[in-house]
Amino acid sequence: MNDLATTAAVRRPAPGRRAPAALRRAAPALLAFAAIRVLGVLVLAAWSAAHGKDWHTLLAARWDSLWYTRVAEQGYGYSVQLANGDVHSNLAFFPLLPWLERALSALSPLSAADAGMVVSWLASLAAAWALYLAGERLHGPRAGVALAALWAALPVGIVQSMAYSESLFTALAAWGVYGVLTGRWVCAGVLASLAGLTRPVGAAVVAAVWITAAVTLWRDRAPDGGPRPARHRRMLLGVLLAPLGWCGYFLWVGAREGSLTAYLDIQGGWGNGFDGGAAFASFLWDLGFPAGLGLLAGVALVVWLYVLGARRGQPLPLLVYSGAVLLLALTAKGYFGSKPRLMLPAFPLLLPLAAGLARWRPAWAWTVTGLAAAGSAVYGAVWLNGSGPP
């Protein structure tokens, strides 16, 4: 691991990195991100109209969005029993997005569903800002702009505009990991806790905080080999704060249902759980040769991007975070069509591509980004107008 990777977690931010200045620097990235996402929504609206569907319903009031809205409006306790005996409980959905939907709808004329879409749109901009800062810190301003634009132009980027929790989670996770990179440990701990109230994969942010803190303590141990916690009080406070959201919801569900493993049982009712990737491997096999091989190539590409980032000295908190997101996504059972969406928050995978794009001539870089944005817009429109959930 090179010097960048070993020191990034403990370097203090430069005095000029205050919020207004950082926002001004990020303005090109935010404009590029917003333009790509607006294109995606416009193409979705046109495609939906041509197929007799409503783009607004697809973004705000379908699939998981309905479950979040029900939690916001009625609270927890709703469940549906399927014909095969499985039970789908709304306790499977973490509470931060429904809380925000309820608060925003109470303070405005918006319905809970529309409030969820607004939260996602604003959160996606906040995530793009954090992505810009991470890319700028590691590879320069152009890489920061490229990282935000590439994340917007992912094939599943339309999810960033839906009343789903991915945008909110990515914003909290990206800012939390950036807090670790810049030595803002208490802020990182608070954001990790909030991420843990948003999605189960909030555990990945906790892991980034904990493992980076452990490595930092190990490297800064006393001459006798013992730790020196007095020099890292704020870091230890961040470590204590980080798991409170995730653990708090997990334990609350357990207390409500009378079982410590209640949340895992509820996920099992949805057909979710972790089996080391066995179910995913079986799914690939059942697809047959052409489709299965294509999907396997996609997985190999994602893993290659992770390895490439590690070989190029990506800082430890980014590696831990993206590695945990990938591990949880690829080893989980459930609806396999959702796996690309589950990997959406793993933005550090795009850093090698962003760094490479930043070295190109601007005309070529923007041409490639524009083509990716157009492809993302068309794919998102076709995807959401299909029969299954994203």
Side-chain angles (χ1 to χ4, degrees):
M1 193 176 296
N2 64 17
D3 291 341
L4 176 62
T6 58
T7 62
V10 296
R11 287 185 297 175
R12 300 301 300 179
R17 289 183 179 272
R18 299 187 177 95
L23 182 57
R24 285 194 296 271
R25 293 199 311 276
L30 297 180
L31 289 173
F33 176 86
I36 294 170
R37 292 292 1 111
V38 167
L39 174 64
V41 174
L42 290 176
V43 172
L44 173 67
W47 193 280
S48 301
H51 291 78
K53 296 183 179 180
D54 178 32
W55 67 272
H56 176 268
T57 299
L58 294 176
L59 292 180
R62 201 174 177 196
W63 300 302
D64 288 7
S65 300
L66 294 174
W67 287 88
Y68 284 117
T69 299
R70 187 181 291 273
V71 173
E73 294 175 340
Q74 301 177 16
Y76 286 107
Y78 175 79
S79 63
V80 174
Q81 185 166 5
L82 305 184
N84 63 359
D86 289 343
V87 176
H88 287 185
S89 167
N90 65 358
L91 286 167
F93 296 88
F94 275 48
L96 186 57
L97 178 58
W99 286 348
L100 293 175
E101 289 178 344
R102 182 184 303 172
L104 185 56
S105 61
L107 297 173
S108 71
L110 294 173
S111 66
D114 286 339
M117 191 166 65
V118 169
V119 168
S120 290
W121 289 9
L122 294 177
S124 66
L125 282 170
W129 185 8
L131 266 60
Y132 168 80
L133 292 176
E136 177 200 48
R137 182 178 184 85
L138 299 177
H139 301 292
R142 289 186 62 190
V145 175
L147 182 59
L150 287 174
W151 189 64
L154 286 172
V156 294
I158 191 64
V159 175
Q160 298 161 12
S161 302
M162 298 178 68
Y164 272 38
S165 59
E166 272 75 14
S167 290
L168 178 60
F169 172 78
T170 305
L172 294 168
W175 279 104
V177 173
Y178 184 72
V180 178
L181 284 174
T182 56
R184 297 180 174 94
W185 287 100
V186 176
C187 180
V190 171
L191 290 167
S193 184
L194 291 172
L197 281 172
T198 308
R199 294 188 61 79
V201 75
V205 193
V206 178
V209 174
W210 278 14
I211 293 177
T212 306
V215 171
T216 301
L217 284 174
W218 174 257
R219 290 174 179 159
D220 193 39
R221 61 190 182 277
D224 62 1
R228 294 193 278 198
R231 297 177 55 170
H232 300 283
R233 289 190 179 92
R234 294 184 66 81
M235 182 180 72
L236 294 176
L237 178 57
V239 167
L240 291 174
L241 291 171
L244 293 183
W246 190 92
C247 291
Y249 185 67
F250 190 97
L251 293 174
W252 178 80
V253 172
R256 176 188 174 99
E257 300 299 299
S259 170
L260 188 60
T261 63
Y263 185 77
L264 298 178
D265 297 336
I266 288 166
Q267 285 285 3
W270 281 82
N272 298 326
F274 298 95
D275 61 0
F280 188 38
S282 177
F283 174 75
L284 287 173
W285 181 264
D286 292 340
L287 279 179
F289 178 73
L293 185 62
L295 186 54
L296 186 61
V299 173
L301 173 62
V302 169
V303 174
W304 176 77
L305 287 174
Y306 180 79
V307 173
L308 184 62
R311 292 181 61 183
R312 292 186 177 180
Q314 199 169 103
L316 180 62
L318 291 173
L319 284 175
V320 172
Y321 166 72
S322 59
V325 172
L326 282 183
L327 181 66
L328 293 172
L330 295 177
T331 61
K333 297 184 292 184
Y335 179 62
F336 297 105
S338 294
K339 285 195 179 293
R341 171 174 64 86
L342 298 180
M343 290 187 282
L344 181 67
F347 67 89
L349 297 175
L350 299 173
L351 269 169
L353 299 179
L357 203 60
R359 293 191 292 268
W360 289 13
R361 294 178 181 272
W364 282 106
W366 284 114
T367 298
V368 170
T369 303
L371 291 174
S376 172
V378 172
Y379 181 85
V382 174
W383 194 33
L384 289 197
N385 276 276
S387 58

